[in-house]
Amino acid sequence: MATEPKAKNIGGDSRIKAGLIWMNGQMVPQEEAKVSVLTHALHYGTSVFEGIRAYDTPKGPAIFRLPEHVERLFHSAKVLMMEIPFTPQEISQAIQQVVRENGYKSCYIRPLAWMGAHTLGVNPLPNNPAEVMVAAWEWGTYLGDEAVRKGARLITSSWARFPANVMPGKAKIGGNYVNSALARIEAQQQGADEALLLDKEGFVAEGSGENIFFFKGNTLYAIEHSVNLMGITRDSVIAIARDLGYEVRECRATRDQLYMADEVFMVGTAAEITPVSYLDHRAIGKGVAGEHTMRLRRAYLEAVQGQNLKYEAWLSYVN
Ligand SMILES: *Cc1c(COP(=O)(O)O)cnc(C)c1O
């Protein structure tokens, strides 16, 4: 049996360098993009956000699945009954502008809308208009290059993914991410790269910010949506896998099913496709990055980098 290598600490301590930030309609230097300490969202987590990537393609930088991300931002706002004082088109243009004016070839983009500093009653309505910003910075592999090469080590978190009547898990709402942060901190304390969260019945939910897949032979299993965020990467990976000839099934799974899988991997805009080599100190397959997983990863990177024109409809070129 393979022995489990020791994980090194993940995440850096260097500050994000985001250059020019679009804030409420204007481009401002990062140092000037500030909010009040009495911001409602800072106290209660009443914000909505997106995580988007732009990639360097042969036709210049392109934003991956921009309309889907902007639509989800507005859907998240709707769940919170937050009115974003810009149209989806204006937000899309702001995102393009941030990539263009910072001169990025590739970057991670973070649009954020939050309840401002007009009231600190828990109910932000009706007098707390939302504020909006879009920042972007250069960000490599989310879990580190080593996690991609060797596979990430996961532990099952003692924090469960919240049930659908506790938090709206299909929305990227700031407050939801206390659950993710707790799981992620726990994983790091235990020397793991990332946490797997189960739902309240004990079935596999998702990572702190990634959807989960596994292979049994040539069949790819996608963990069904249930309480999870409906990832845009998950959707892209299912399409690409079918195009590569894999049979794809959506299922509910238990953690021991993952222990017995041939390959397990996580997907998300930040994590892209990251293989999982260990779960709860058990080797998945041979305890290395899986073959099919890496094939999918290559195909995914080709798609996002504009090297497979079959997927060009997913790209919004920055011009
Ligand atoms: C953002 C996120 C994902 C991944 O979604 P993508 O659309 O693929 O980026 C998965 N799970 C959670 C909890 C998330 O917040």
Side-chain angles (χ1 to χ4, degrees), residues 200-220:
K200 81 174 203 303
E201 265 98 45
F203 289 89
V204 171
E206 58 179 324
S208 67
E210 305 91 1
N211 292 118
I212 307 285
F213 284 84
F214 65 96
F215 270 106
K216 217 37 198 164
N218 285 324
T219 305
L220 178 61

Side-chain angles (χ1 to χ4, degrees), residues 13 51 84 89 121 154 206 254 274:
D13 50 13
I84 296 181
Q89 201 195 354
L154 267 57
E206 58 179 324
T254 59
T274 302

